[in-house]
Amino acid sequence: MRKVFGSVRARAALGATLVVAVALVAAGIALLQVLRADLGDQARLKAQVDAREVASKIAAGAGYGALKLDESVPVQVVDEDGRVRAVSEDLEAVKGTGSASVRPVAPAPESDDDTDDDDRAAGKVSSGEEYGDGSARVDGETADYVWAAVEATDTSGEDVTVYAGAPLATERGAVTTVRDAMLLGLPLLLLVVAAVTWLVTRRALRPVEGIRREMAAITASTDLARRVPEPGSHDEVARLARTTNETLTALEASVERQRAFVADASHELRSPVASLRTQLEVGAAHPELLDLDGAVADVVRLQRLAADLLLLARLDAGERPAGGTPVALDALVREELAQRVADRVPVRDEAAPVAVEGSRGQLAQVLGNLVDNAQRHARSGVRVAVREEGRWAVLEVADDGAGVPEAERERIFERFVRLDDARSRDDGGAGLGLAIARDVAVRHGGTLTVRAAPEGGALFELRLPT
């Protein structure tokens, strides 16, 4: 069963069919109730009219024997003692009225003291009526009737009740006909609803199937340059296709960056490893020629490069600094600058008291990377400033060097990018310092940008939320 209704089309068709079925059944039951009530009211109205017509004749002075009762309408007139005074022709049996008898009693003879017709009081008909269900056999056919009972008083002052019946066969026949038609048409209508829902859903989901096939092909071929087809509509499926293509574009760019990162890292590692191997091989063959200082420098360079690559790997994995740890930027600047004893040019400290939350080690590495970069390009000095602007802590590192061309101010934050490749290699730089600094800034909820410094060189501005 789960496999049968495993598709969206099947579930949509089943859901629509069930909803329509419930709605139609409820509407059908309500329709039958209304139809039954309406036809019942019509039957009671007909019985009431026939009963009042006979009662009016009795009140007008017509004798019971002289009543002309329509043989098609069963009528029974019963007095207060339950005696039948008149019945309609062909009425053979009756149930549900004032008497089960269909034989009228003989009228009592009039006495000499009876008044003349002119002196008799006029009869009357009651304004109300009562209804009841029963049956009657008329001319050999038995059927169910609704009886209307109307009280009347004849001209002699005798009270009688007139029962007139209306057949219920018409009501029940109409209700049965409508019910049978509904039972016959309901399955056909539900079948049409299911088929239409299936076809409409299939047509609506056709682009989704195209997206699925293309994604399966992309997964099998690992060709991230391919894109899923985008339908020309402006619905959810089209937005899904566009979002999928945007995701593929971002994934392709990420994979390309990862490949370039691996290639650049391999290239950067190869040079110091080759140099170190050469020096060790020379030292093994000729110990007197071993360049121990150069070997140590290559090991240090390898150690720094490995640490930078490890930090970048952690940042790419989504590592974020632990919150709740306050870091005083002014104290951090003073401590880090105090440890720098081999700088080429002096560093001027202009740090004001400002505190942020984050990783002290990562922020110290950002500061060190920025100062190292400024030392490589400065002519006579470097300036480090810390201040507070609103809800931001701002750390600036400026130099008086040649500055960064405006066209290169974003590219320098890419990994393994050097604007002066030869000098960076000589100084031990691998083009990762600024990339690490920006990634750490972003992980701390801040930004790192570069612009022209008042001193004429480059000014790197780190903004962190206080």
Side-chain angles (χ1 to χ4, degrees), residues 18-70:
L18 291 177
V19 170
V20 173
V22 171
L24 289 179
V25 169
I29 293 175
L31 176 62
L32 291 177
Q33 294 293 342
V34 171
L35 180 61
R36 182 181 288 109
D38 183 64
L39 293 177
D41 290 342
Q42 293 184 16
R44 285 190 290 271
L45 178 60
K46 183 179 183 305
Q48 174 194 347
V49 170
D50 292 337
R52 286 195 174 278
E53 182 180 355
V54 175
S56 298
K57 292 180 180 180
I58 294 175
Y64 298 109
L67 291 174
K68 295 182 179 180
L69 302 178
D70 189 354

Side-chain angles (χ1 to χ4, degrees), residues 34 39 139 199 327 378 383:
V34 171
L39 293 177
D139 197 14
L199 294 177
V327 178
R383 176 175 58 87

Side-chain angles (χ1 to χ4, degrees), residues 261 308-319 415:
F261 177 75
D308 289 345
L309 292 176
L310 180 60
L311 177 57
L312 284 174
R314 294 202 308 266
L315 294 176
D316 288 342
E319 179 182 286
R415 298 173 183 182

